[in-house]
Amino acid sequence: LSAARRRQCRDRADRAAPPRATRGTPTPISLRARPDPAADTPTNMTELGGLPGAPPPPALPGVKTAPAMGVGDTVLLEMNGDKWAFIKLKRDGTAVIGKHKDVSLNPLIGAPFGSTYEVDQDGVLYPAEPDPPEWTAGDDAINAIDDDRNNADVNDMRDSSAQQLDQHDIARLKREGVGGRSLVEALAASSATFAKKTAYAQEKYVKKKLRKHLVRCRARRPTPRAVCEAYFHKQPAATNYVRYDALGMLLALGNAGAEAQPLVVETCGGLIVGAVAERLGGRGRVVAGHTGGTPPSLDIARLMNLGDAERESIATAPVTELIAARARHAAGGEGEEDEKEDSDGAADGVDKAEGDAGADGVDKGADGDKCADGDNGAEARVPRERPEGWRSRRIESASPDLIRDLATPSEGFTSLILAAPALDPATALRALLPLLAPSAPFAVWSYAAQPLAEALDELRRSSSAVNLTLQEPWLRRHQVLPRRTHPTMTTTAGSGGYVLSGNVIPEGERKRQRGDDDETALKRARTGGAD
């Protein structure tokens, strides 16, 4: 900018700034306090160089706090970073944490998610204290050491002669009530080789002893990522070995968001269904499709503390009924009258059953009035008491009317997420893609690349989709410490599976682009799209 232009901008800023006592000292602004737009924001944006009538800048957001743990919530306890346990909070409830049994969980109630706790020798949870500065070898501590030492003469792994405390002494200290930190300090002071170790080795020694003698747990919120991570390390077969980075790719490529209506076909215990429902936030509809007559287990979705709106947005439906309903719509309304008669008959049956139940209820109510003085009549009217923190975890099945509405061509699903390795991806996509809306995205996960490659080839030859991509998520953990940040020596590279994604092209649009008649389209379908 020219000098005149810079002076003009500086003069405008000075005129727009509030009056100050000292011109050289700026007025401090707290980022935590939400400013009053009416008081602090100029009403005329032209003073700041904006266009006339432009809206004022948005106010600063308030401070967000983590939600508190309450009775009835599911909490994911991460113990020492290598063990996980799902617990349901109850008043005066207990759990097994490490080697301690019947540990009271009352300290968790009312505390925010993410709090860290330690278990003392008596099996009591108390808030964890930060590590002492001398236990963390930072840059200052490392630079201050004229470190010409090495670990060549350290014999800790060869014999126990370097440690003056034996197992009987350690057991005696535990019986006396010595905490884990004090015990680790005693072990370090009684070691003849601790002073000879390098600063890195000393920190590693302390952390190793703390993991052994002190149970440190973190109460994590059961988000889809945390649940997926826990199951991947604890019981990966329950989620078909879906890793949390692959889960994030499915949610992103599947366009899961508010006001969406995705179709999810998965055999991962409800992990993906729960993740999509949480992403929708109760605004939309998640259809959990299944191939058999009985819906698969969705127990993992019930661990995510879904709200009533998020849980009620989930509906299970057989994909065979969805495909049949779409075929009836595509046939020009044939079979709709029969379906309507069937539904009317079913409704009549339901009305009749309700009428019989109502009649029985009237009779029972009359009998109850006659024997109002009896105990049985009074007990029949007593409502069932719910325990503290009770919440419904029931997931409803889609009704025939909902299935008929979902299968209408004007409705269509906004996306498709398929994570069922037992199904052939090419066959499943051939049957499920017509259920999607035009240009709707789809994402298919499998732990093998060959089935997805065959499906990719078939989609390309039949011109059923565009933007086709076959990706492999890759994840590797890193150690992030002062002056020793590096990837971990062991990794699970290649075990994240593969993801096939794209956007569907409707059959009518493909016919219009090619100019095919019905006979040519049938021939293309029989030959797999080849000319």
Side-chain angles (χ1 to χ4, degrees):
L1 297 176
S2 62
R5 180 60 177 170
R6 286 196 296 269
R7 285 195 302 270
Q8 184 180 3
C9 294
R10 188 163 52 250
D11 294 341
R12 286 182 178 179
D14 292 340
R15 289 196 302 270
R20 293 177 290 202
T22 304
R23 187 175 182 82
T25 305
T27 304
I29 299 177
S30 176
L31 295 180
R32 293 183 174 273
R34 183 186 292 270
D36 186 5
D40 298 339
T41 304
T43 57
N44 188 4
M45 294 303 296
T46 57
E47 298 180 359
L48 298 179
L51 297 177
L60 294 177
V63 179
K64 294 183 178 180
T65 58
M69 295 176 281
V71 177
D73 290 342
T74 301
V75 180
L76 175 59
L77 282 183
E78 181 182 354
M79 294 168 284
N80 289 338
D82 56 359
K83 293 182 180 180
W84 294 265
F86 291 93
I87 61 174
K88 185 177 180 180
L89 282 185
K90 298 180 180 179
R91 190 76 63 180
D92 299 329
T94 59
V96 179
I97 300 179
K99 299 180 180 179
H100 306 280
K101 299 180 180 180
D102 298 333
V103 179
S104 177
L105 301 177
N106 286 337
L108 300 181
I109 300 176
F113 279 101
S115 302
T116 306
Y117 296 87
E118 294 178 357
V119 185
D120 60 4
Q121 300 300 329
D122 296 333
V124 178
L125 274 175
Y126 60 94
E129 299 178 359
D131 294 335
E134 61 270 13
W135 286 8
T136 304
D139 289 339
D140 298 337
I142 295 173
N143 295 333
I145 300 175
D146 186 9
D147 208 347
D148 55 353
R149 301 167 296 176
N150 56 60
N151 300 328
D153 299 331
V154 177
N155 300 323
D156 284 349
M157 301 298 295
R158 301 175 186 176
D159 52 32
S160 302
S161 59
Q163 182 56 250
Q164 300 178 6
L165 295 179
D166 55 8
Q167 57 181 356
H168 301 288
D169 297 332
I170 296 175
R172 176 180 54 82
L173 292 175
K174 289 183 178 181
R175 287 194 300 269
E176 293 176 356
V178 178
R181 295 178 178 274
S182 301
L183 182 59
V184 172
E185 291 177 356
L187 290 174
S190 302
S191 176
T193 59
F194 184 79
K196 300 178 182 180
K197 297 177 182 287
T198 62
Y200 303 120
Q202 288 179 356
E203 183 181 3
K204 188 176 181 180
Y205 175 86
V206 170
K207 289 184 177 180
K208 180 180 178 181
K209 296 301 181 182
L210 280 175
R211 290 166 62 91
K212 181 178 180 181
H213 298 287
L214 180 64
V215 180
R216 191 183 182 99
C217 59
R218 184 159 63 103
R220 299 182 61 180
R221 185 181 180 186
T223 59
R225 184 200 185 283
V227 173
C228 185
E229 181 182 3
Y231 267 95
F232 185 77
H233 294 288
K234 177 183 178 182
Q235 194 178 356
T239 58
N240 272 333
Y241 298 87
V242 174
R243 209 167 53 192
Y244 45 90
D245 57 333
L247 175 62
M249 290 184 61
L250 289 177
L251 296 178
L253 297 174
N255 196 23
E259 307 298 341
Q261 186 174 276
L263 173 61
V264 182
V265 182
E266 54 110 330
T267 56
C268 304
L271 172 66
I272 301 177
V273 172
V276 173
E278 191 205 40
R279 183 70 66 89
L280 265 64
R283 300 176 59 184
R285 169 69 66 180
V286 184
V287 179
H290 54 89
T291 55
T294 304
S297 174
L298 300 177
D299 292 338
I300 298 180
R302 296 181 174 91
L303 297 175
M304 299 181 184
N305 292 337
L306 298 178
D308 292 339
E310 297 170 346
R311 178 183 54 80
E312 292 173 358
S313 66
I314 304 175
T316 61
V319 294
T320 53
E321 296 186 8
L322 292 172
I323 296 173
R326 174 55 67 90
R328 287 191 292 268
H329 284 291
E334 296 180 1
E336 291 186 1
E337 296 181 357
D338 298 338
E339 181 183 357
K340 183 177 181 181
E341 292 178 359
D342 296 340
S343 62
D344 293 342
D348 295 340
V350 172
D351 295 339
K352 184 178 180 181
E354 290 178 353
D356 295 340
D360 294 340
V362 171
D363 294 338
K364 292 180 181 179
D367 296 339
D369 293 337
K370 292 179 181 179
C371 59
D373 297 335
D375 296 337
N376 294 334
E379 291 180 358
R381 295 191 201 83
V382 174
R384 180 176 165 183
E385 293 185 2
R386 301 294 187 183
E388 183 183 4
W390 179 88
R391 63 181 63 178
S392 177
R393 300 179 185 271
R394 180 180 178 85
I395 297 177
E396 299 290 342
S397 300
S399 62
D401 294 338
L402 179 59
I403 292 178
R404 185 167 56 252
D405 294 340
L406 293 173
T408 55
S410 60
E411 189 75 13
F413 293 99
T414 57
S415 61
L416 169 66
I417 299 179
L418 178 61
L423 301 178
D424 179 51
T427 306
L429 290 176
R430 193 183 310 116
L432 296 177
L433 287 184
L435 299 176
L436 302 185
S439 302
F442 63 89
V444 187
W445 178 89
S446 178
Y447 44 67
Q450 184 62 27
L452 297 182
E454 296 176 357
L456 174 65
D457 180 67
E458 180 175 341
L459 292 174
R460 281 179 175 173
R461 288 191 295 110
S462 61
S463 300
S464 300
V466 295
N467 298 331
L468 292 173
T469 307
L470 181 58
Q471 308 176 56
E472 178 186 7
W474 196 83
L475 177 70
R476 187 170 187 180
R477 289 181 174 271
H478 283 67
Q479 171 184 290
V480 182
L481 291 173
R483 296 181 60 179
R484 51 200 188 281
T485 297
H486 59 80
T488 54
M489 304 305 296
T490 58
T491 181
T492 57
S495 64
Y498 301 84
V499 178
L500 171 64
S501 61
N503 295 82
V504 65
I505 299 178
E507 181 66 24
E509 180 66 19
R510 283 179 287 169
K511 289 182 180 181
R512 189 187 64 80
Q513 292 179 359
R514 292 176 173 177
D516 295 344
D517 52 9
D518 295 339
E519 183 178 357
T520 307
L522 181 61
K523 180 180 178 181
R524 288 183 183 275
R526 290 176 178 176
T527 59
D531 293 333

